[in-house]
Amino acid sequence: MKHHLEDLVRTALERLRHDGELECEVPNFTIERTRDKKFGDFASNAAMLLAKPARRKPRDIAELIIDRLPSSNQVANVEIAGPGFINFHMTPTAFQAVVGQVFEAGEAFGRSTIGNGKRVQVEFVSANPTGPLHVGHGRGAAYGATVADLLAAAGFEVHREYYVNDAGRQMDILGASVWLRYLELCGEELVFPSNGYRGDYIWDIAASIHRDHGDAFRHSAAAVFEGVAADEPVGGDKEAHIDGLVGKARTLLGEESYRIIFDTALDAILGDIRRDLEEFGVAYEKWFSERTLVESGKVDAAIERLKASGHLYEKEGALWFRSSDYGDEKDRVVVRENGVKTYFASDIAYHMDKLERGFERVIDVWGADHHGYVPRVKAAMEAIGDDASLLDVLLVQFAILYRGGEKAQMSTRSGEFVTLRELREEVGNDAARFFYVSRKCEQHLDFDLDLAKSQSNDNPVYYIQYAHARICSVMHQLKEKELFYDRQAGLRHLPMLKEDHEQAMLQTISRYPEVVEAAALVHEPHQLAHYLRELANDFHTYYNAHQFLVEDSTLRDARLALILAAKQVLANGLSLLGVSAPESM
């Protein structure tokens, strides 16, 4: 309906231009649903936008537009309101027609071509493979996956990607942590570093290495800790301590043995992450390795482009990017004094690579704690000559999990965290996926486990799924009573649906394509989540007020057609959110 009205107004404006009544360009006007039905169903601001360039009063322009509007059996009346808004009153037929449109499109109802096949890459989660995914990562996973699916539904060509940080310091700390636990299993007594990874999964990986290789990688604790800076608990520096242990691991093991430890840890954790995300209904077109950027020379190429732009300088043996030229609070290191390239250098190369692969738009879904990182990445893109406006960074606040009214603490390094898998096992995928996207990504989310598990109207995902299941139940009852449903008869007799509840259902169903489109373009899955709850509420209210399996077959067919259209929309919307649509509950 909205696009139909846009076409009508655009045609009227072109007619005005053709007749010489309008000499300025056609503006990007909007068609929006009215909040108050006394102003009709839709309103356009076209006349308001044309007032200044056309040098006419908005109401005068509105009259001209209305005079040139093509006729439409979907529009009952058009009027001017306020300073020059054009209000459209739709015919009952316009809203009834949506039922047939739902049946015709089926699972494709709500999808559009507004994206025009534009290639978009969505990179999300990309958690360091240093431990299992926790509930904070889960929100990024649900949000990123849903944004990607919404964009695909809006006609974009979407490429989903996970950036695997399989190079750099944190991975070296992981490798050292696994090796130290392995040494303990070999019988060595040592004080585990305060800055090492401590979770049970580290023991599990170490045990698998010990089973496969025995004592092949054993070195004495004395040799390992000899010459290493003191740890923080004994008055030293925890960063220098762990870096010293990483260095010892490389030196004592040698590159080949060190790589066995490193790769075993990486493969185990990354495999666990893959399984977790697959079971959560999150899929990727590509798992992109940071290591390939280094090995292919992409990182070096990015640094050379920075050098060529004149934005790199040397200081204290390190190479610095002059990001302060672009508004950053200070300059950033890209190559340390020891020659090691920073994570930032890899990130510059990664974004350079994204655009080289031909993506017309790049979306990064990051945790809100990366807020300060955004301007320096965009600055680097500009410095190497790329268009930083092609990058959108969506920041997701972490979810705070409550169990029994108590806040659960999470810390990857200490190992005391609630994993995404534990959450899924407790509340199920459906509740987790829905709750994660039920609020704006930049808002904090208090995840109430008790609510997520409850079978009540207060639990939004249960409430929506129950609406779908209830409609299925009505159709089962139809069969049990040996009654019949004629879809074509139902479509013919939709004008019989005059009850307020029926009119509300028709109007809400008609909004679905607009909601999907809007949620996709502004990256707000919560709009769809709230819409589905509204549609479920309309249905439950209708269900409680009226009978569907009435004696009058014409009215019965019409009502069944209406609720079956609602069932299809509920299923389509839940699917975009990664939530199932059960037939019974």
Side-chain angles (χ1 to χ4, degrees), residues 177-202:
S177 299
V178 169
W179 184 51
L180 291 172
R181 290 303 191 199
Y182 162 85
L183 293 178
E184 289 181 297
L185 292 173
C186 291
E188 295 294 329
E189 294 185 6
L190 53 87
V191 178
F192 198 80
S194 62
N195 214 21
Y197 287 97
R198 294 173 170 269
D200 288 343
Y201 63 96
I202 300 295

Side-chain angles (χ1 to χ4, degrees), residues 69 108 139 145 206 219 233 317 358 395 436 449 501 504 507 514 547 551:
L69 282 173
R139 189 178 188 192
H219 290 268
L395 299 174
Y436 273 137
L449 284 168
H501 297 112
Q507 295 214 15
E514 300 162 32
Q547 294 292 320
E551 289 294 327

Side-chain angles (χ1 to χ4, degrees), residues 32-45:
E32 301 294 341
R33 291 197 180 242
T34 59
R35 295 184 179 180
D36 190 333
K37 288 302 176 184
K38 71 180 181 182
F39 296 118
D41 299 296
F42 293 89
S44 175
N45 65 347

Side-chain angles (χ1 to χ4, degrees), residues 83-151:
F85 288 105
I86 301 173
N87 291 348
F88 295 87
H89 296 259
M90 309 305 288
T91 63
T93 304
F95 291 103
Q96 293 160 10
V98 75
V99 176
Q101 293 163 10
V102 172
F103 291 153
E104 183 177 355
E107 292 180 359
F109 181 73
R111 295 182 174 271
S112 71
T113 58
I114 192 170
N116 200 30
K118 187 175 181 180
R119 295 189 69 222
V120 178
Q121 187 226 39
V122 183
E123 181 227 324
F124 58 106
V125 184
S126 298
N128 285 343
T130 53
L133 297 178
H134 57 60
V135 296
H137 297 133
R139 189 178 188 192
Y143 175 75
T146 307
V147 166
D149 288 348
L150 283 167
L151 287 168

Side-chain angles (χ1 to χ4, degrees), residues 253-357:
L253 286 169
E255 187 59 31
E256 184 177 344
S257 295
Y258 177 77
R259 184 56 61 186
I260 291 173
I261 302 287
F262 184 99
D263 286 346
T264 301
L266 170 65
D267 292 345
I269 294 175
L270 191 58
D272 188 69
I273 289 173
R274 283 177 183 265
R275 287 190 298 274
D276 220 3
L277 289 171
E278 287 171 1
E279 291 170 5
F280 197 39
V282 176
Y284 295 92
E285 276 74 36
K286 187 176 183 65
W287 292 70
F288 191 100
S289 164
E290 179 187 358
R291 200 188 300 178
T292 63
L293 287 174
V294 178
E295 294 171 349
S296 67
K298 289 278 187 180
V299 179
D300 290 331
I303 292 172
E304 286 304 315
R305 284 176 66 174
L306 283 177
K307 281 182 182 177
S309 71
H311 290 91
L312 274 191
Y313 65 92
E314 189 173 339
K315 175 183 169 185
E316 299 174 352
L319 275 181
W320 296 69
F321 167 51
R322 208 183 302 276
S323 56
S324 57
D325 288 352
Y326 296 87
D328 197 1
E329 58 185 357
K330 62 181 181 179
D331 296 341
R332 306 292 172 175
V333 176
V334 291
V335 183
R336 297 189 182 94
E337 61 277 4
N338 60 3
V340 175
K341 299 173 181 70
T342 62
Y343 176 85
F344 181 43
S346 294
D347 232 9
I348 298 170
Y350 181 42
H351 285 84
M352 178 182 77
D353 180 82
K354 290 183 181 190
L355 296 184
E356 287 178 350
R357 281 186 274 158

Side-chain angles (χ1 to χ4, degrees), residues 499-568:
E499 299 288 347
D500 288 346
H501 297 112
E502 294 162 342
Q503 293 300 307
M505 284 272 289
L506 285 167
Q507 295 214 15
T508 302
I509 290 171
S510 74
R511 284 175 42 221
Y512 177 71
E514 300 162 32
V515 172
V516 172
E517 191 174 287
L521 296 179
V522 297
H523 313 132
E524 292 185 348
H526 73 276
Q527 289 193 26
L528 177 56
H530 293 175
Y531 166 85
L532 291 174
R533 186 166 188 175
E534 183 180 342
L535 178 57
N537 181 68
D538 285 346
F539 168 74
H540 288 306
T541 304
Y542 184 31
Y543 182 94
N544 293 331
H546 298 280
Q547 294 292 320
F548 302 131
L549 305 183
V550 293
E551 289 294 327
D552 184 345
S553 63
T554 56
L555 180 60
R556 181 173 70 235
D557 286 337
R559 286 182 171 175
L560 291 178
L562 175 60
I563 65 171
L564 286 172
K567 171 179 172 287
Q568 183 69 66

